[in-house]
């Protein structure tokens, strides 16, 4: 978990590789991290796929109720949900054959991380994707 090479791969280095990020819990409120972090990633060229059954569109993209409803397979699943929701997200990712989960800073579920890794999912947890992206691209 949180290996530097996994972080680099999830961020799409080399940068010529296109990346699609499904964001679970993407909020419509631009003042919330669950909106401005994905907005930053979108401005960096990533395609954002919102997962939030309570909104129709956000960041100019159609929102989906779940990972299973997505029209494409995302490269990364970025999670802005409480720790208790992570196991079900991991189970759905295993069912769908998704390979990368990035759980935002302050959200930790070690048991779900171990289950994900045992199933072949790469895990970044308790790290901010925006911070890691800006750090990687400023150095």
């Amino acid at each position: 978990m949180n290996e530097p090479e996994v972080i680099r791969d999830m961020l799409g280095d080399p940068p010529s590789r296109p990346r699609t990020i499904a964001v679970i819990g993407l909020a419509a409120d631009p003042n919330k991290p669950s909106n401005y972090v994905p907005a930053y990633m979108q401005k960096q060229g990533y395609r954002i796929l919102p997962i939030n059954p309570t909104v129709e569109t956000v960041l100019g993209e159609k929102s989906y109720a779940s990972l299973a409803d997505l029209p494409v397979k995302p490269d990364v699943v970025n999670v802005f949900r409480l720790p208790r929701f992570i196991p079900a997200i991991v189970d759905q990712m295993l069912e769908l054959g998704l390979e990368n989960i990035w759980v935002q800073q302050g959200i930790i579920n070690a048991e779900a991380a171990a289950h994900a890794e045992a199933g072949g999912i790469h895990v970044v947890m308790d790290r901010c994707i925006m911070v890691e992206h800006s750090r990687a691209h400023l150095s």
Side-chain angles (χ1 to χ4, degrees):
M1 182 168 63
N2 296 344
E3 293 89 359
E5 60 276 5
V6 169
I7 291 172
R8 275 193 308 274
D9 186 55
M10 284 196 211
L11 292 175
D13 288 337
S16 61
R17 286 186 26 204
R19 303 309 274 172
T20 302
I21 304 173
V23 182
I24 298 179
L26 201 158
D29 182 349
N31 295 311
K32 291 187 173 185
S34 57
N35 179 285
Y36 66 74
V37 169
Y40 165 87
M41 297 304 288
Q42 188 179 55
K43 287 177 185 155
Q44 302 307 310
Y46 296 82
R47 180 174 180 205
I48 301 299
L49 299 168
I51 307 289
N52 184 337
T54 67
V55 295
E56 247 182 79
T57 62
V58 62
L59 300 180
E61 296 282 346
K62 178 185 182 333
S63 186
Y64 298 90
S66 73
L67 290 171
D69 297 322
L70 291 174
V72 297
K73 183 177 175 179
D75 296 301
V76 177
V77 175
N78 185 210
V79 182
F80 285 89
R81 297 295 315 269
L82 294 172
R84 71 175 183 258
F85 295 109
I86 307 303
I89 293 167
V90 167
D91 287 342
Q92 189 173 39
M93 289 181 65
L94 289 167
E95 287 172 20
L96 297 170
L98 303 178
E99 300 174 358
N100 298 300
I101 186 169
W102 189 303
V103 182
Q104 279 299 124
Q105 187 171 356
I107 307 168
I108 302 167
N109 186 315
E111 187 176 301
H115 180 58
E117 288 183 324
I121 296 174
H122 300 109
V123 178
V124 175
M125 186 171 281
D126 192 26
R127 298 273 179 99
C128 178
I129 197 168
M130 178 179 77
V131 169
E132 296 297 328
H133 180 272
S134 62
R135 180 179 300 149
H137 290 85
L138 290 176
S139 53

